[in-house]
Amino acid sequence: MQSKRSKACDISQKVKKVVWERDKYCIYYGSTRAMPNAHYIPRSKGGLGIEQNIVVLCNNCHYNYDMTDMRQHYKEYIRNYLMSKYPDWKEEDLIYRK
């Protein structure tokens, strides 16, 4: 059985569809070979699976964001992108709370 936190952090098909329609391609490189499955606030830190926390990234960008020293650069880019899409966007609203 899936925990409430795990369920809240998962990205539903509905959210993936909304994010894909919003972004249409990798928000960094413009590749259409991308997926709406990159959390701005990572799942490991309680990042919710909501559209305000998810972006479309290609595999290369997603890897660079998750696994390299380029994380801070990508994080700033993604934060600015999401802030441009959601005027009331706040990081604290993207984290799972009991």
Side-chain angles (χ1 to χ4, degrees), residues 1-88:
M1 186 169 170
Q2 195 176 30
S3 72
K4 286 182 183 181
R5 181 181 190 262
S6 182
K7 188 173 182 177
C9 296
D10 280 350
I11 308 169
S12 70
Q13 288 302 315
K14 180 180 176 184
V15 169
K16 287 181 181 186
K17 183 177 191 283
V18 169
V19 171
W20 182 254
E21 288 172 359
R22 179 194 70 205
D23 298 348
K24 298 184 180 39
Y25 46 80
C26 174
I27 64 165
Y28 194 80
Y29 276 122
S31 172
T32 56
R33 296 179 62 111
M35 300 283 292
N37 62 359
H39 286 72
Y40 170 73
I41 304 283
R43 288 175 52 115
S44 62
K45 305 256 192 262
L48 297 171
I50 59 175
E51 66 185 85
Q52 295 86 349
N53 191 43
I54 308 299
V55 295
V56 173
L57 291 178
C58 64
N59 285 340
N60 188 52
C61 288
H62 200 167
Y63 176 84
N64 286 337
Y65 182 50
D66 284 349
M67 308 297 278
T68 72
D69 60 358
M70 295 179 66
R71 180 168 183 79
Q72 192 58 39
H73 169 76
Y74 276 90
K75 187 173 184 172
E76 289 174 24
Y77 187 90
I78 294 168
R79 182 181 61 241
N80 289 334
Y81 179 81
L82 289 169
M83 288 174 74
S84 77
K85 299 295 181 182
Y86 304 98
D88 296 331

